[in-house]
Amino acid sequence: MSLGIGTKTASALGLASVIIEAHDMGKRGARKGKAQASADKFVRDQIGASKSNTDSDKHNTIKEFTEHADISDKFVEFGGMAGGYLSGFAKCLKNNIFTVGFGTLGMFAKSKAIRTIALIGMGTSILFDTITNATSLFERKDYLDNR
């Protein structure tokens, strides 16, 4: 009975940590996506306003107005934010796929063997993630050597 409670608790905590991290990465992605969408729209507006199909002052005035009107900026920024959030969230889930998989397995496991596999798998995936992403053990540090 205690293995079942321990497995469910460890699985819930593991999944919660991934979801919290995914939300944080999603928020960062949303900020980047909004900024990129806004910058791209600004460049598109500038290029569009600089082109003239005719020598008409009326048409040039309308182009200048639409360049500075910012009519659709909020829609473009919202789209960039939504896409950036989803991209950041999905990137985190992809990076933690084994933790999510073993955590989910642990939440719904009925037998002692499956619970044990889920705990070992989740612990191993968290340990591997921590060693590869939170330490500099496997990173190149000899940039000053000419190799």
Side-chain angles (χ1 to χ4, degrees):
M1 187 62 145
S2 65
L3 179 64
I5 294 170
T7 302
K8 290 191 186 309
T9 302
S11 297
L13 291 174
L15 291 172
S17 73
V18 171
I19 290 171
I20 290 168
E21 181 184 16
H23 177 63
D24 183 56
M25 289 178 71
K27 289 190 303 187
R28 278 190 252 149
R31 285 192 295 272
K32 289 179 185 177
K34 177 183 176 183
Q36 187 65 49
S38 180
D40 290 346
K41 182 168 184 326
F42 175 77
V43 170
R44 281 193 309 270
D45 288 349
Q46 293 294 314
I47 291 171
S50 69
K51 294 180 179 180
S52 180
N53 298 336
T54 65
D55 294 332
S56 168
D57 285 336
K58 174 181 78 170
H59 294 127
N60 290 334
T61 303
I62 292 170
K63 278 193 172 210
E64 286 179 15
F65 172 77
T66 57
E67 173 189 5
H68 299 294
D70 300 334
I71 295 168
S72 64
D73 281 3
K74 295 299 177 192
F75 296 114
V76 171
E77 289 175 357
F78 179 77
M81 284 176 61
Y85 183 87
L86 292 174
S87 175
F89 198 91
K91 183 179 180 181
C92 180
L93 290 181
K94 179 183 162 222
N95 291 344
N96 293 291
I97 189 70
F98 292 111
T99 303
V100 171
F102 285 117
T104 304
L105 181 65
M107 292 292 289
F108 299 107
K110 300 291 184 200
S111 72
K112 185 176 181 179
I114 300 297
R115 288 179 188 147
T116 304
I117 290 170
L119 280 175
I120 292 171
M122 193 172 62
T124 303
S125 67
I126 290 172
L127 181 64
F128 179 77
D129 178 59
T130 302
I131 289 172
T132 56
N133 296 317
T135 67
S136 61
L137 290 176
F138 301 107
E139 292 178 7
R140 183 175 173 219
K141 299 176 210 98
D142 59 345
Y143 291 107
L144 298 177
D145 294 340
N146 289 333
R147 291 186 190 190

